[in-house]
Amino acid sequence: MKKILIVTLLIFALSGCTLNNTSTEGGITTMSEVSTEETTATEDENYIDEANIKEVNDNSYMGIELHQDSGLSEEKSKNYGMDCPYVMYPEEGDTKYYCFRYPNNEFPLTVTQISIKDSKYNVFGISIGDDITSAEGKLRDKGYEKEDNPPEGTYVYFKGDVLVFLHCKENTIERIVVSLKIEKEEGVMY
């Protein structure tokens, strides 16, 4: 089984910290190790899970599409990495768009994680304030599998390289995070 590190920023998000995209020291990016029997449809390290990315984009309203280009020049994008991601914010709403290189450092910065706390956005029709039971049903209907042993108050679902984190309080969704699995490469400092 191939081990994949996932950019989750889960502890970061739960702690209430913020990232500053102009800081050279940046915030703390947490990587969680996940191991699945089949990590992608192919063992190719340059594989991009286009079908599942398209599915989440076509069936959700997140303000920006997952895997959308960051818009930074290659020169400017060199200032950002796993320890200091480029972060974009909408003009309105409590949502953040984190840009990393997916599927690995050979690719440009794209939106690889979307953190939603605004009820005007949705992922597969799941919005802030929804009940976790109905949300889990929607994700299962789309073919997402539930991750074993997530942190308390968090439900994690995955399909291919797409992950959906549902952060709840008393069965009510308070935050939705959609993320892509990012592979950690040997010899690359994160």
Side-chain angles (χ1 to χ4, degrees), residues 33-80:
E33 194 171 277
V34 172
S35 149
T36 58
E37 287 183 26
E38 185 178 329
T39 56
T40 60
T42 179
E43 292 299 319
D44 180 6
E45 63 188 32
N46 293 322
Y47 171 75
I48 295 177
D49 191 357
E50 293 179 23
N52 288 320
I53 294 169
K54 182 176 178 8
E55 179 185 44
V56 74
N57 286 334
D58 288 351
N59 293 284
S60 305
Y61 175 64
M62 302 176 287
I64 288 182
E65 290 192 346
L66 191 63
H67 198 47
Q68 177 176 316
D69 187 83
S70 68
L72 290 179
S73 68
E74 187 57 37
E75 188 62 33
K76 284 186 179 182
S77 70
K78 290 178 183 177
N79 296 323
Y80 302 98

Side-chain angles (χ1 to χ4, degrees), residues 72 113 143 150 158:
L72 290 179
Q113 186 175 60
F158 65 93

Side-chain angles (χ1 to χ4, degrees), residues 119-131:
S119 61
K120 75 178 179 182
Y121 299 114
N122 75 78
V123 177
F124 296 122
I126 303 165
S127 297
I128 303 305
D130 286 357
D131 179 74

Side-chain angles (χ1 to χ4, degrees), residues 9 19-21 26-27 29 80-87 98-100:
L9 297 170
L19 288 174
N20 181 346
N21 64 357
T29 302
Y80 302 98
M82 295 302 284
D83 60 341
C84 182
Y86 180 64
V87 183
Y98 297 92
C99 299
F100 295 95

Side-chain angles (χ1 to χ4, degrees), residues 6-22:
I6 304 167
V7 179
T8 64
L9 297 170
L10 184 57
I11 293 171
F12 171 80
L14 294 174
S15 71
C17 296
T18 60
L19 288 174
N20 181 346
N21 64 357
T22 60

